[in-house]
Amino acid sequence: MEHVPALDEPLKKSLGPATAKVLGEQLGLHTVGDLLHHYPRRYAERGELTPLADLGDQLDEHVTVVAQVAEARVLTFNGGRGRRLEVTITDGAGRLQLVFFGSGVHKPHKELLPGSRAMFAGKVGMFNRRLQLSHPAYELLGADAGDSAVDAFANRLIPIYPACAKLESWKIAKAVDAVLPSAQEAEDPLPPALREGRGMVTLPEALLKIHRPRTKADVEQARERLKWDEAFVLQVALARRRYADTQLPAVARKPTPGGLLDAFDAKLPFTLTEGQQTVSREIFDDLATEHPMHRLLQGEVGSGKTMVALRAMLAVVDCGGQAAMLAPTEVLAQQHHRSVTEMMGELAEGGMLGGADHATKVVLLTGSMGAAARRQALLDLVTGEAGIVIGTHALIEDKVQFHDLGLVVVDEQHRFGVEQRDALRGKGKQPPHLLVMTATPIPRTVAMTVFGDLETSVLDQLPAGRSPIATHVVPAKDKPHFLARTWERVREEVEGGHQAYVVCPRIGDEEDEKKAAKSAEDETEKRPPLAVLDIAEQLSGGPLAGLSVEVLHGRMDPADKDDVMRRFAAGEVQVLVATTVIEVGVNVPNSTVMVIMDADRFGVSQLHQLRGRVGRGSAPGLCLLVSEMPEASPARARLAAVAATLDGFELSRIDLEQRREGDVLGQAQSGVRSSLKMLAVIEDEEVIAQAREEAVAVVTADPGLDGLPALRTALDALLDDEREQYLEKG
């Protein structure tokens, strides 16, 4: 009997070592199972011609097209010494040119005859303003091809695989053929009752149909089944996390009437928005239970998340506990500390002359504090004198001891490593309650997928008094006079008594230059991104001469950073040229204009975040997105989307659709390639919601999955160690 390799067998045992090496290095496929889960991107039909018109969006990408040869001609150059073969292929609607040079001309000249059809694979390039493929690999189809090719493609859908320069789609197809018998060995993770109840095919059948479908119905059946696998296994992992959390003990923290929280509410000069009141109630209900709260608080920039978090912290202090707020940077920790102490007034002056009766101490703890201040802060934490501490990851160091840590608030979760959150959680006598705040709006499906072990609250109203922000794209290359007008607008705002931000993607110091030079060695890198230090110099000596221009970036000394921020907040600095250190939490209501240089180098959600720094006062905000990208490029389409809407949820959706699901599972957190190959988090909302329900039912009935060994195996494969930790500590 023929040997059928097991799914965990290394590919080099089944395929040639050269092919296995390329699959491993270029596509991250190492085992038979990996290759079986490398699904076709799409399918070409035997008689169908691929729309060549769509290639304009895929410049510099490797593509596979199925088309017919319209004409072929050999041209000579260099006085007859050089030969070039130009082949024009068509799909009836569009045309594309292929070129072959030198001795590579002979074979295609004999084979690519007008009327013949083939698959062509290569990198889309541009020559004389026309798209072309240079030296594409090709495989003839139909009557012109050898028997085996005809057989392979006869009456079938042709799978087009995600490929790379060293391995064309049809070579991957041949590698898949070699391991396809192993699909029979695939263990089915779906409980039989669930699979049958939903009328789905078995996993071996789904793998067979996805790789070698005979009809479009085969593809649909396979896709539906494989999407369910991904959604269900992931939701089971999250449901188990939630279940485990409900088993943990925590101290219930019920707000005490007549305490710090009531005193704080009484002195508020405004009423909370309806959204803030609703979310606060959800949080207080969670805090009152005897297992730890795990809640994600999403809110647009400026929707008042800090106010909601502060009220939760005060409620915990009221019942004798302590609350810690973690910020991703020192600038932010200092800013939160300033705004919290200002909001609390004499309530933050516990133990001091003039402090109110219920007052507590609010301490700051960052890495750059002086030794004496740091000693005092540590003492206040261990004695319980300080009810609230705000800091960076310096809070997590072993030396930091709490008297009774009851609540951890994490600001801008996506910037915080998982180990750090875990370490802080371990500081309580029992696990503290956890509130994660993010200003990056997350579509519901992503929240169910990535933060599926957190309950979600959304603040979607802006507090009264926030001004609208107008956003425009400035095409610096096509219309240089627009850029000149940009700096005039900045001047006008400053002369009107306001302040401006100019954001650049890079710092421009020595360390940064080395990095830029290194990445410029890579041919694909265009000019290095614009840098803070260069732009600040150009502006001070040019269009913004005479204004007070300062720089702010992450590699500055913390004391200098704080000094610049303080002077900017006080209005002494008129224009701040900065990197994205200002992205989160920087609050200067007098800033009305922001210019983002090389805006195409930032993600959609990041641009939305940055823009939220202006228009925080009574004057309207203006955000100008400067880009040199051509009008028809996808990058410009992204910028146009940001300019067209202020709805962060809509933008996060666009952002996700464009990035696809590559980093949905928190690549930044786990460094693991996404496990979502078939599931599109945005489009498959229904599948995810149903899978979540089924997963909860399965885990409630059998938390250890003892009766479902195949599901346990699938879970282990999905949650390799790193991702398991990511989910665990999320």
Side-chain angles (χ1 to χ4, degrees):
M1 189 186 134
E2 184 196 352
H3 165 66
V4 174
L7 269 61
D8 53 7
E9 187 169 286
L11 281 172
K12 57 176 180 280
K13 281 194 172 176
S14 311
L15 309 171
T19 307
K21 186 171 188 240
V22 177
L23 286 169
E25 287 176 2
Q26 302 283 315
L27 297 169
L29 308 173
H30 302 285
T31 65
V32 169
D34 289 345
L35 182 53
L36 287 175
H37 288 292
H38 184 69
Y39 309 130
R41 179 179 289 171
R42 58 186 178 81
Y43 302 85
E45 288 185 64
R46 289 283 295 111
E48 169 202 60
L49 295 169
T50 316
L52 297 178
D54 297 351
L55 295 182
D57 298 341
Q58 294 176 299
L59 205 56
D60 283 343
E61 284 192 27
H62 287 278
V63 298
T64 302
V65 295
V66 177
Q68 190 162 355
V69 177
E71 54 182 340
R73 57 196 183 133
V74 174
L75 305 169
T76 56
F77 54 93
N78 269 358
R81 288 195 300 279
R83 287 158 60 81
R84 180 168 87 239
L85 170 66
E86 286 185 0
V87 178
T88 306
I89 57 173
T90 177
D91 62 357
R95 291 165 88 83
L96 177 69
Q97 190 172 52
L98 317 176
V99 291
F100 300 87
F101 294 99
S103 57
V105 164
H106 308 302
K107 186 169 179 274
H109 192 210
K110 283 210 307 274
E111 295 181 338
L112 297 177
L113 304 171
S116 59
R117 174 176 284 141
M119 280 196 288
F120 300 94
K123 193 177 189 181
V124 182
M126 182 79 86
F127 182 70
N128 280 346
R129 303 183 74 102
R130 285 170 64 193
L131 292 175
Q132 69 169 29
L133 298 183
S134 178
H135 276 283
Y138 62 88
E139 178 100 329
L140 292 167
L141 302 176
D144 334 65
D147 292 346
S148 63
V150 175
D151 188 45
F153 298 113
N155 314 319
R156 290 260 183 114
L157 294 165
I158 303 169
I160 308 289
Y161 287 92
C164 59
K166 293 182 178 171
L167 212 59
E168 295 86 24
S169 168
W170 54 86
K171 289 186 180 160
I172 295 174
K174 284 174 181 165
V176 169
D177 280 337
V179 300
L180 207 49
S182 301
Q184 296 307 324
E185 305 292 302
E187 284 196 337
D188 204 324
L190 293 192
L194 164 60
R195 185 177 62 72
E196 287 154 17
R198 292 187 174 269
M200 287 187 278
V201 298
T202 63
L203 181 55
E205 196 180 334
L207 290 170
L208 211 58
K209 284 183 168 175
I210 200 77
H211 289 293
R212 296 297 171 260
R214 293 191 171 273
T215 62
K216 286 184 172 168
D218 281 356
V219 176
E220 275 319 297
Q221 278 187 338
R223 278 201 168 135
E224 186 197 358
R225 168 59 220 252
L226 295 166
K227 278 179 180 180
W228 255 91
D229 276 18
E230 289 176 13
F232 180 70
V233 174
L234 182 58
Q235 290 302 333
V236 166
L238 294 163
R240 290 183 78 192
R241 286 296 330 135
R242 289 194 300 276
Y243 179 82
D245 287 338
T246 61
Q247 307 305 302
L248 288 173
V251 180
R253 313 275 177 176
K254 297 187 173 82
T256 321
L260 195 53
L261 178 61
D262 285 353
F264 175 75
D265 284 349
K267 65 192 268 308
L268 276 182
F270 51 82
T271 44
L272 297 174
T273 65
E274 204 176 308
Q276 285 175 317
Q277 291 175 17
T278 308
V279 170
S280 288
R281 275 196 299 276
E282 292 172 348
I283 291 172
F284 291 147
D285 288 349
D286 282 358
L287 289 173
T289 62
E290 294 190 345
H291 60 82
M293 163 172 85
H294 287 107
R295 189 166 282 281
L296 173 70
L297 172 55
Q298 299 189 51
E300 283 284 9
V301 172
S303 56
K305 294 183 298 297
T306 311
M307 171 62 71
V308 169
L310 176 55
R311 294 184 71 242
M313 295 200 287
L314 295 175
V316 169
V317 175
D318 269 345
C319 20
Q322 291 169 296
M325 182 186 248
L326 243 64
T329 63
E330 296 215 352
V331 169
L332 232 102
Q334 287 158 346
Q335 173 135 352
H336 276 316
H337 183 253
R338 262 200 303 277
S339 57
V340 165
T341 46
E342 277 164 23
M343 283 196 270
M344 287 176 63
E346 72 277 12
L347 296 174
E349 295 170 359
M352 294 184 228
L353 225 58
D357 293 348
H358 318 285
T360 186
K361 231 180 187 182
V362 179
V363 300
L364 176 69
L365 191 61
T366 62
S368 62
M369 283 169 74
R374 189 179 171 78
R375 250 198 320 276
Q376 185 58 51
L378 290 171
L379 190 66
D380 289 341
L381 285 180
V382 77
T383 58
E385 185 87 7
I388 295 176
V389 57
I390 296 169
T392 54
H393 49 255
L395 274 180
I396 293 158
E397 290 169 11
D398 293 344
K399 292 197 274 294
V400 181
Q401 297 298 324
F402 289 86
H403 177 65
D404 178 14
L405 180 60
L407 170 67
V408 175
V409 178
V410 179
D411 186 20
E412 284 306 318
Q413 186 270 351
H414 65 286
R415 298 180 155 241
F416 233 90
V418 263
E419 286 74 20
Q420 296 151 321
R421 288 208 297 282
D422 206 37
L424 193 58
R425 242 187 199 174
K427 297 264 180 202
K429 295 186 175 71
Q430 286 190 333
H433 298 281
L434 176 71
L435 179 65
V436 170
M437 298 196 296
T438 176
T440 310
I442 301 163
R444 174 172 167 261
T445 43
V446 181
M448 281 196 299
T449 309
V450 183
F451 301 105
D453 55 341
L454 300 174
E455 300 299 326
T456 306
S457 297
V458 178
L459 276 177
D460 47 13
Q461 286 170 292
L462 286 188
R466 291 298 301 264
S467 305
I469 304 170
T471 308
H472 303 284
V473 179
V474 178
K477 208 167 196 166
D478 312 347
K479 299 181 178 166
H481 59 287
F482 276 34
L483 186 58
R485 176 73 189 115
T486 297
W487 303 125
E488 285 169 20
R489 279 295 287 116
V490 170
R491 263 193 182 284
E492 287 161 17
E493 288 296 316
V494 171
E495 280 158 11
H498 296 298
Q499 290 159 279
Y501 295 102
V502 178
V503 181
C504 303
R506 207 161 57 85
I507 298 172
D509 58 9
E510 280 174 36
E511 206 168 319
D512 194 49
E513 292 302 337
K514 278 183 220 150
K515 263 205 267 183
K518 202 168 170 133
S519 67
E521 286 166 17
D522 176 11
E523 291 302 285
T524 57
E525 180 69 28
K526 317 293 180 276
R527 67 159 171 74
L530 295 171
V532 166
L533 302 178
D534 305 339
I535 293 290
E537 198 176 315
Q538 288 166 24
L539 293 177
S540 310
L544 302 185
L547 302 185
S548 142
V549 177
E550 295 261 359
V551 301
L552 180 71
H553 59 75
R555 276 207 281 274
M556 284 164 65
D557 180 87
D560 295 343
K561 260 193 278 196
D562 199 36
D563 177 54
V564 171
M565 269 321 297
R566 210 174 38 244
R567 287 187 295 118
F568 187 63
E572 295 162 26
V573 174
Q574 293 165 317
V575 180
L576 187 63
V577 184
T579 54
T580 52
V581 288
I582 60 149
E583 179 184 349
V584 283
V586 172
N587 184 19
V588 180
N590 191 41
S591 320
T592 52
V593 60
M594 173 178 284
V595 180
I596 303 179
M597 307 301 291
D598 275 348
D600 47 273
R601 311 263 182 155
F602 299 96
V604 169
S605 294
Q606 198 173 24
L607 291 169
H608 179 60
Q609 284 280 35
L610 286 164
R611 161 172 72 181
R613 301 294 120 219
V614 294
R616 296 176 79 88
S618 51
L622 172 66
C623 177
L624 300 170
L625 307 172
V626 180
S627 171
E628 292 188 356
M629 296 304 274
E631 194 164 353
S633 62
R636 275 283 288 279
R638 272 207 322 268
L639 299 182
V642 175
T645 178
L646 287 170
D647 179 342
F649 284 91
E650 176 56 30
L651 287 173
S652 67
R653 213 182 161 91
I654 293 168
D655 196 16
L656 196 71
E657 280 165 358
Q658 292 188 332
R659 284 184 309 167
R660 306 221 165 80
E661 271 68 40
D663 44 1
V664 156
L665 262 194
Q667 217 164 13
Q669 308 274 354
S670 75
V672 181
R673 284 191 16 251
S674 166
S675 63
L676 303 185
K677 297 189 173 74
M678 193 55 84
L679 196 69
V681 173
I682 289 288
E683 289 143 41
D684 296 320
E685 181 160 352
E686 211 169 293
V687 175
I688 292 170
Q690 290 172 3
R692 183 176 168 124
E693 270 175 45
E694 296 276 12
V696 170
V698 164
V699 171
T700 309
D702 180 3
L705 305 180
D706 301 323
L708 299 164
L711 176 56
R712 272 223 314 277
T713 309
L715 210 54
D716 294 342
L718 169 79
L719 303 177
D720 48 41
D721 296 345
E722 288 186 87
R723 192 176 276 110
E724 173 70 83
Q725 286 173 353
Y726 165 60
L727 289 173
E728 218 162 66
K729 297 165 189 171

